[in-house]
Amino acid sequence: MSKPRFHNPCVILNPRAASGRALHLWSSLRPTVESTLGPVDVRFTEAPDHAATLTKEALQGGADLVVAVGGDGTFNEVVNGYLSQGLPLNPDASLAFCPAGTCSDFRRSAGIPRSPHDAAKAVAKVPVRKLDACGVRVTRPNGDTITRYFANVASFGVGGEVCVAAKHNLLTPVNGRAAFLWATAKTLIRYRAKDVSLTLDDEQPGQLLRVMQVALGNGAYHGNSMKVCPLASLESGCIDLTVIRETGYLDFLRSVRLLYSGNILSHANCIHYRAKSVTATSTDHVLVEVDGEAVGQLPCTAWVLPGVLSMAGTEVTG
């Protein structure tokens, strides 16, 4: 198996990931990284979206590898710095991910080792793969639109509300899964299904559904190891949709076990679609989250970007 060779690697580190544990981890991780990749340029994030800016600067400065050290949010920002108008800013540069955050669902979707040390070693050992990403254009509260890219999962409905609740949760620094479950239970007490029109691949007219949650999967995992899009693959060239239609509070909570087991598509109120583009509209207020970050609301349009991510250290199995 050929060994990828990088001459100018850069590390983007979120020192606040996992309530500051990522910064402590780096002191022991750096020797592993440099023993496998050589000397690295290390850049620390200081604010939201700073990782995207640092990634752009690194690529424009000649970096041929950008390694995100943090959680899913950090990696999402790095992806948004790596891509410009849907294409790599530098097509000869690669990305890698060393999981060091509260949640690492992209790690699961991409087959990246759980240990940050093993993930760093895999970057040097495993050949670079061309993986898909997705773009999503969402609406801001003032009516403007923004475009974000994601490598793993976006969702709207309950997921958007839970994302906000989980960010302001005392359990988040202690246990990501517990925080997510608590936020889910709390949100569902008051949440009601929304009328959403879905249009797949520009087909007309859009299908009107009353839904609790819609997940747009490039990857399979979401919400700290929930397998929300079990048929999704990072190399499929499509977006997998998991639609959970209107269901009762207790039934929705019971379905959580199906999410963790990977059997959500067996639920009677669950529908699976696959498309290259998706447009969703609603007369209700429906929040959208992207890789665990609330970014806006419906209407939104998402589309797949086949093979735009050059990823090192992944062993995709889906």
Side-chain angles (χ1 to χ4, degrees), residues 79-158:
V79 168
N80 277 271
Y82 180 81
L83 295 175
S84 176
Q85 298 183 349
L87 294 172
L89 192 62
N90 177 0
D92 296 323
S94 298
L95 297 180
F97 180 43
C98 286
T102 303
C103 296
S104 297
D105 288 308
F106 180 75
R107 174 195 70 77
R108 298 179 178 90
S109 295
I112 295 170
R114 181 175 183 176
S115 161
H117 294 269
D118 291 340
K121 294 174 184 177
V123 173
K125 294 179 181 178
V126 180
V128 171
R129 305 179 73 117
K130 295 289 188 179
L131 303 184
D132 303 338
C134 296
V136 59
R137 185 167 57 251
V138 302
T139 305
R140 304 293 280 177
N142 64 2
D144 292 342
T145 61
I146 62 166
T147 297
R148 294 283 296 186
Y149 301 108
F150 65 95
N152 197 37
V153 175
S155 75
F156 54 84
V158 169

Side-chain angles (χ1 to χ4, degrees), residues 132 217-218 231-240 274-276 304 306 318:
D132 303 338
N218 186 49
L231 301 182
S233 166
L234 296 168
E235 300 169 293
S236 69
C238 294
I239 302 173
D240 269 53
R274 181 168 282 172
K276 295 185 181 298
V304 69

Side-chain angles (χ1 to χ4, degrees), residues 3-310:
K3 180 178 180 179
R5 298 182 183 277
F6 304 105
H7 304 290
N8 192 11
C10 175
V11 167
I12 307 295
L13 172 67
N14 179 2
R16 291 169 298 282
S19 300
R21 292 191 295 274
L23 182 59
H24 177 73
L25 168 70
W26 178 241
S27 62
S28 64
L29 181 61
R30 183 166 192 160
T32 301
V33 171
E34 295 197 329
S35 68
T36 56
L37 299 176
V40 295
D41 173 21
V42 184
R43 306 187 182 197
F44 295 88
T45 65
E46 299 176 356
D49 290 325
H50 193 204
T53 301
L54 292 176
T55 299
K56 289 178 184 177
E57 292 174 352
L59 293 171
Q60 291 167 346
D64 61 352
L65 174 69
V66 177
V67 183
V69 179
D72 288 325
T74 303
F75 184 68
N76 176 269
E77 290 186 19
V78 167
V79 168
N80 277 271
Y82 180 81
L83 295 175
S84 176
Q85 298 183 349
L87 294 172
L89 192 62
N90 177 0
D92 296 323
S94 298
L95 297 180
F97 180 43
C98 286
T102 303
C103 296
S104 297
D105 288 308
F106 180 75
R107 174 195 70 77
R108 298 179 178 90
S109 295
I112 295 170
R114 181 175 183 176
S115 161
H117 294 269
D118 291 340
K121 294 174 184 177
V123 173
K125 294 179 181 178
V126 180
V128 171
R129 305 179 73 117
K130 295 289 188 179
L131 303 184
D132 303 338
C134 296
V136 59
R137 185 167 57 251
V138 302
T139 305
R140 304 293 280 177
N142 64 2
D144 292 342
T145 61
I146 62 166
T147 297
R148 294 283 296 186
Y149 301 108
F150 65 95
N152 197 37
V153 175
S155 75
F156 54 84
V158 169
E161 301 281 351
V162 169
C163 177
V164 173
K167 291 296 180 183
H168 305 284
N169 191 318
L170 293 176
L171 291 172
T172 300
V174 180
N175 187 305
R177 178 182 287 192
F180 186 84
L181 288 174
W182 174 249
T184 299
K186 182 179 178 181
T187 301
L188 281 173
I189 291 175
R190 58 180 174 77
Y191 194 83
R192 298 295 179 268
K194 311 294 185 183
D195 289 321
V196 174
S197 177
L198 287 178
T199 301
L200 308 182
D201 294 332
D202 298 323
E203 293 181 358
Q204 296 294 336
Q207 184 177 5
L208 184 63
L209 299 168
R210 190 157 179 80
V211 304
M212 298 291 289
Q213 164 83 344
V214 177
L216 310 175
N218 186 49
Y221 290 91
H222 177 63
N224 207 337
S225 76
M226 287 184 174
K227 202 170 187 180
V228 66
C229 294
L231 301 182
S233 166
L234 296 168
E235 300 169 293
S236 69
C238 294
I239 302 173
D240 269 53
L241 282 79
T242 298
V243 179
I244 301 178
R245 294 179 294 183
E246 185 172 22
T247 186
Y249 173 77
L250 293 177
D251 186 48
F252 193 93
L253 284 181
R254 283 193 292 267
S255 71
V256 169
R257 65 179 178 82
L258 297 178
L259 286 165
Y260 283 113
S261 67
N263 294 315
I264 186 60
L265 299 184
S266 68
H267 194 285
N269 284 339
C270 186
I271 312 172
H272 170 257
Y273 300 106
R274 181 168 282 172
K276 295 185 181 298
S277 67
V278 182
T279 297
T281 62
S282 180
T283 57
D284 296 319
H285 182 255
V286 184
L287 293 181
V288 181
E289 63 85 18
V290 175
D291 281 343
E293 300 292 333
V295 295
Q297 61 195 45
L298 297 188
C300 80
T301 297
W303 59 95
V304 69
L305 301 165
V308 296
L309 299 181
S310 295

Side-chain angles (χ1 to χ4, degrees), residues 305-318:
L305 301 165
V308 296
L309 299 181
S310 295
M311 285 294 305
T314 67
E315 294 187 359
V316 177
T317 57

